[in-house]
């Protein structure tokens, strides 16, 4: 009977799937037909004489639209002025990051004469195709002028007959390179992946470096990399980079100061990019570039090799100069639209190798190749939302109401930890939440509980979805939350401030999809003030006047894309705020919860650092959004006794995490000022 039913169910399931496949096949046929029809109409428009004649006017209109959009991303007039000031500050420092950073004669001599214990040969691969003469010369010169001498330049040239001067130049330089320049003219141009792979066939080095034909290297970049190879055993290295206008590297357009290796950043955005140098051993059994991902071949390669690398080192110096000119990806991703789909494919392939299924990859408003990734949530885990509260009935009511009305995740419980409230209004609200009334009110129930230390017991609503735990004693944010967690029945703990309000309906799902991963510790959300300026977008240690920790992009308007689009994609952070923090309950307990010696502040940062010591990643996502009416409940910590207490806790934090603070935040480049939260550059002279 059972086997028969199984067979019938199998046949029914097969028939259902067969029907779905047939329906999908029909839809594909219809869509292909519609595509052909639209392509025909598009071609007819583009061939029209009027369309061609109005080209210049459309270019002007599109330029104006792009500028308008750029301004809207900045926010209001104050924010535009702030951006102008930052740009002006950057401009004043550009030369110090450009030719001003090149070694003088004395430094050059020192670097050239340095003998490292390990002097690896670095093979620099440059695929060539119809390069401009002046660009070709500058590329060759910047390699020849490297202060580290044990390099090899491998050139595979797919240029046509009109660009025969490229071969002449390469052979001219090869003749004076002591055999370090290897040149091959290809019988055809096979595209960037094919041409680069042909370069690799020429390479004999221990390490491989990838370099574009029209860009420029800092003269000390190989020296800096070999230094890290010797000191840290690096097998994958990259540096900071900048785009520049065609004629002068000091005329920088966008200076990109990167974080250290951050896997979630890399999945969403190829931030590593240039100048990638890696141990040849990482390529054993692997292709260098895969032609299936032309246009995003570097992103695909970086994802694969960083997975295999044992020691990834970021050299936080601007040492790669990426030329921006018509047709280059540096000028506009629109110059190579196929790169967008290739990049999605590369990320999808990477995620599948890591065991992820049923994910979605979509472009964000920051850039077509900066992605939002939606992961499948496994199972139906329960989330325990722990909210500390004292009085402030309207704040708590707004918070809980927004959870109940706006959330799409249903398997959760709310645990309110009551701490010395005095108003009758809050007691009435607790009674309402618990479904109590009259002689069986919250206040009457509390009288029946025996007080044992800080624990005054717990009361549940009839359906068990809401509980109120009573904490007796002076306010201690850490101890209050730890008590609440001790009563939690969920698989995950969501610490939430009572002065928050849910905006995004699937906020719990957006956080849970990361928290469920084995390599992730805490997950934080994007929090706004009431005026829709940023309150929280990740925490950086060492930032701020106390040199403890601070929030990045603080008070930046919601429209702003953030530094290099960082307000628009999920990324790794050293810490996230406890105002909205999701973590596995098992991990919460493993690290001992919140450290109760941090009574008011820095307990969340301390908690996140404890998770990092376990080797876990902390994640911040911009796709879980809430309002955070910060400090409404307890006020600010900038005056009197509160200021003194904050100073003591700051001192305690600096002592406890001294080594981490001295090393600097791995996700915040040391070229940024620690006095500001807007990624403003540190003055290399004053150090501020």
């Amino acid at each position: 009977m059972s086997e028969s039913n199984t067979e019938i169910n199998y046949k029914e399931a097969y028939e259902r799937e067969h029907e779905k496949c047939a329906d999908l096949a029909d839809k594909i046929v219809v869509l292909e037909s519609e595509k052909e029809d639209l392509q025909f109409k598009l071609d007819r428009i583009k061939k029209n004489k009027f369309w061609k004649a109005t080209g210049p006017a459309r270019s002007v209109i599109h330029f104006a639209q792009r500028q308008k959009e750029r301004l809207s991303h900045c926010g209001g007039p104050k924010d535009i002025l702030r951006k102008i000031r930052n740009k002006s500050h950057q401009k004043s420092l550009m030369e110090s990051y450009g030719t001003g950073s090149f070694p003088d004669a004395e430094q050059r001599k020192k670097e050239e004469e340095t003998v490292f214990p390990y002097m690896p040969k670095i093979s620099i691969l440059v695929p060539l195709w119809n390069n401009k003469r002046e660009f070709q010369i500058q590329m060759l010169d910047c390699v020849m002028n490297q202060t580290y001498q044990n390099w090899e330049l491998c050139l595979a040239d797919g240029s046509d007959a009109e660009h025969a001067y490229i071969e002449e130049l390469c052979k001219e330089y090869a003749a004076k390179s002591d055999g370090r320049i290897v040149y091959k003219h290809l019988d055809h141009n096979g595209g960037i992946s094919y041409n680069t792979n042909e370069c690799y066939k020429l390479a004999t080095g221990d390490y491989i470096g990838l370099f574009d034909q029209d860009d420029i290297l800092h003269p000390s970049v190989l020296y800096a990399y070999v230094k890290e190879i010797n000191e840290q055993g690096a097998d994958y290295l990259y540096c900071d980079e900048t785009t520049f206008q065609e004629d002068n590297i000091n005329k920088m357009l966008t200076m990109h100061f990167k974080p250290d290796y951050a896997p979630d950043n890399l999945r969403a955005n190829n931030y590593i990019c240039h100048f990638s140098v890696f141990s040849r051993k990482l390529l054993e059994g692997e292709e260098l570039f895969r032609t299936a991902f032309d246009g995003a071949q570097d992103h695909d390669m970086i994802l694969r090799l960083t997975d295999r690398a044992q020691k990834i080192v970021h050299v936080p110096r601007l040492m790669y100069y990426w030329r921006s000119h018509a047709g280059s990806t540096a000028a506009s991703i629109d110059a190579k639209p196929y790169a967008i789909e290739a990049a999605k494919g590369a990320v999808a392939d990477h995620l599948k190798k890591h065991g992820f299924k049923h994910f979605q990859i979509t472009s964000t408003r920051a850039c077509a190749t900066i992605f939002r990734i939606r992961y499948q949530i496994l199972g139906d885990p329960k989330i325990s939302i722990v909210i500390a509260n004292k009085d402030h009935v309207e704040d708590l009511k707004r918070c809980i109401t927004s959870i109940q009305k706006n959330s799409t995740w249903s398997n959760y419980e709310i645990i309110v930890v009551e701490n010395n409230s005095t108003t009758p209004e809050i007691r009435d609200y607790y009674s309402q939440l618990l479904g109590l009334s009259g002689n069986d009110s919250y206040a009457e129930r509390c009288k029946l509980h025996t007080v044992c230390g800080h624990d005054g017991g717990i009361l549940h609503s009839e359906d068990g979805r809401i509980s109120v735990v009573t904490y007796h004693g002076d306010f201690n944010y850490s101890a209050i939350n730890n008590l609440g967690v001790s009563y939690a029945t969920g698989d995950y703990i969501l610490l939430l401030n009572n002065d928050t309000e849910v905006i995004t309906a699937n906020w719990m799902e957006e956080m849970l999809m990361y928290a469920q991963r084995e390599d992730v510790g805490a997950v934080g959300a994007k929090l706004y003030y009431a005026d829709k300026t940023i309150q929280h977008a990740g925490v950086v240690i060492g930032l701020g006047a106390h040199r403890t920790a601070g929030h990045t992009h603080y008070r930046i308007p919601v429209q702003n894309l953030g530094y290099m689009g960082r307000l628009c994609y999920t990324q790794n952070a050293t810490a996230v705020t406890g105002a909205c923090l999701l973590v596995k309950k098992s991990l919460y307990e493993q690290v001992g919860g919140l450290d109760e010696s941090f009574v008011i502040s820095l307990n969340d940062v301390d908690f996140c650092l404890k998770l990092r010591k376990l080797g876990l990643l902390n994640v911040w996502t911009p796709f879980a959004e809430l309002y955070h009416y910060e400090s409404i409940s307890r006020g600010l910590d900038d005056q009197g006794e509160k200021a003194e207490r904050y100073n003591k806790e700051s001192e305690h934090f600096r002592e406890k995490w001294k080594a981490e603070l001295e090393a600097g935040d791995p996700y915040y480049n040391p070229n940024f000022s620690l006095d500001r939260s807007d990624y403003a550059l540190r003055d290399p002279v004053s150090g501020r």
Side-chain angles (χ1 to χ4, degrees), residues 280-298:
R280 190 187 196 100
K281 294 177 182 178
L282 296 181
L283 273 174
E284 290 178 1
E286 289 270 349
E287 291 180 277
L288 177 56
F289 282 167
R290 298 192 287 182
T291 55
F293 301 106
D294 266 354
Q297 67 286 334
D298 52 347

Side-chain angles (χ1 to χ4, degrees), residues 250-511:
N250 291 328
K251 293 181 178 179
M252 299 177 188
L253 301 173
T254 302
M255 303 165 77
H256 187 188
F257 294 95
K258 308 169 187 177
D260 289 351
Y261 177 58
D264 285 289
N265 298 51
L266 185 58
R267 289 170 178 173
N269 174 30
N270 181 17
Y271 77 93
I272 286 180
C273 204
H274 304 115
F275 169 52
S276 285
V277 170
F278 47 86
S279 171
R280 190 187 196 100
K281 294 177 182 178
L282 296 181
L283 273 174
E284 290 178 1
E286 289 270 349
E287 291 180 277
L288 177 56
F289 282 167
R290 298 192 287 182
T291 55
F293 301 106
D294 266 354
Q297 67 286 334
D298 52 347
H299 198 177
D300 169 61
M301 181 274 299
I302 291 168
L303 285 165
R304 287 186 288 119
L305 296 195
T306 51
D307 270 353
R308 303 184 73 171
Q310 297 298 308
K311 184 62 177 180
I312 303 167
V313 171
H314 163 223
V315 177
R317 293 177 61 188
L318 203 157
M319 306 190 91
Y320 191 94
Y321 304 92
W322 189 2
R323 195 187 306 268
S324 179
H325 60 90
S328 72
T329 309
S332 172
I333 193 64
D334 295 329
K336 298 178 180 177
Y338 63 90
I340 300 166
E341 291 307 312
K344 288 180 181 178
V347 174
D349 182 73
H350 164 81
L351 293 175
K352 288 174 184 175
K353 288 178 180 176
H354 281 265
F356 295 107
K357 301 176 182 178
H358 308 300
F359 50 80
Q360 294 180 322
I361 304 170
T362 54
S363 296
T364 64
R365 66 190 181 97
C367 178
T369 52
I370 293 180
F371 301 131
R372 174 182 185 178
I373 302 172
R374 293 184 178 92
Y375 296 92
Q376 178 188 21
I377 292 175
L378 305 176
D380 184 36
K382 185 177 184 179
I383 298 175
S384 297
I385 304 173
V386 178
I387 306 172
N389 186 71
K390 177 182 179 181
D391 295 317
H392 292 275
V393 64
E394 294 303 321
D395 299 321
L396 182 63
K397 184 180 295 186
R398 178 181 57 217
C399 175
I400 293 178
T401 300
S402 72
I403 296 170
Q404 294 171 324
K405 287 189 174 181
N406 298 342
S407 301
T408 52
W409 188 259
S410 58
N411 192 13
Y412 67 85
E413 66 176 351
I414 297 174
I415 300 172
V416 179
V417 189
E418 153 60 27
N419 173 224
N420 297 330
S421 293
T422 58
T423 64
E425 291 82 6
I426 195 65
R427 297 192 189 97
D428 291 343
Y429 182 56
Y430 289 156
S431 295
Q432 178 186 330
L433 287 174
L434 298 171
L436 304 174
S437 61
N439 293 329
D440 192 28
S441 67
Y442 165 78
E444 293 301 317
R445 285 281 190 98
C446 283
K447 292 177 182 178
L448 301 176
H449 283 280
T450 302
V451 176
C452 180
H454 291 313
D455 190 347
I458 185 168
L459 296 172
H460 303 285
S461 61
E462 189 173 342
D463 60 5
R465 292 292 296 273
I466 297 181
S467 305
V468 177
V469 175
T470 303
Y471 173 92
H472 294 290
D474 294 336
F475 181 82
N476 182 314
Y477 181 83
S478 299
I480 290 170
N481 280 282
N482 288 342
L483 178 63
V485 171
S486 71
Y487 282 101
T489 61
D491 308 288
Y492 291 83
I493 301 300
L494 203 170
L495 302 182
L496 190 66
N497 275 24
N498 62 351
D499 52 357
T500 57
E501 180 180 7
V502 174
I503 299 172
T504 310
N506 63 338
W507 66 296
M508 280 190 268
E509 292 95 321
E510 287 290 343
M511 299 173 76

Side-chain angles (χ1 to χ4, degrees), residues 609-624:
L609 287 171
K610 290 192 291 185
L611 292 170
R612 278 184 56 80
K613 286 197 77 170
L614 295 179
L616 298 170
L617 298 166
N618 295 319
V619 174
W620 172 80
T621 173
F623 305 114

Side-chain angles (χ1 to χ4, degrees), residues 587-598:
L587 287 177
Y588 191 97
E589 293 172 340
Q590 184 177 346
V591 299
L594 299 183
D595 185 340
E596 295 181 14
S597 66
F598 293 104

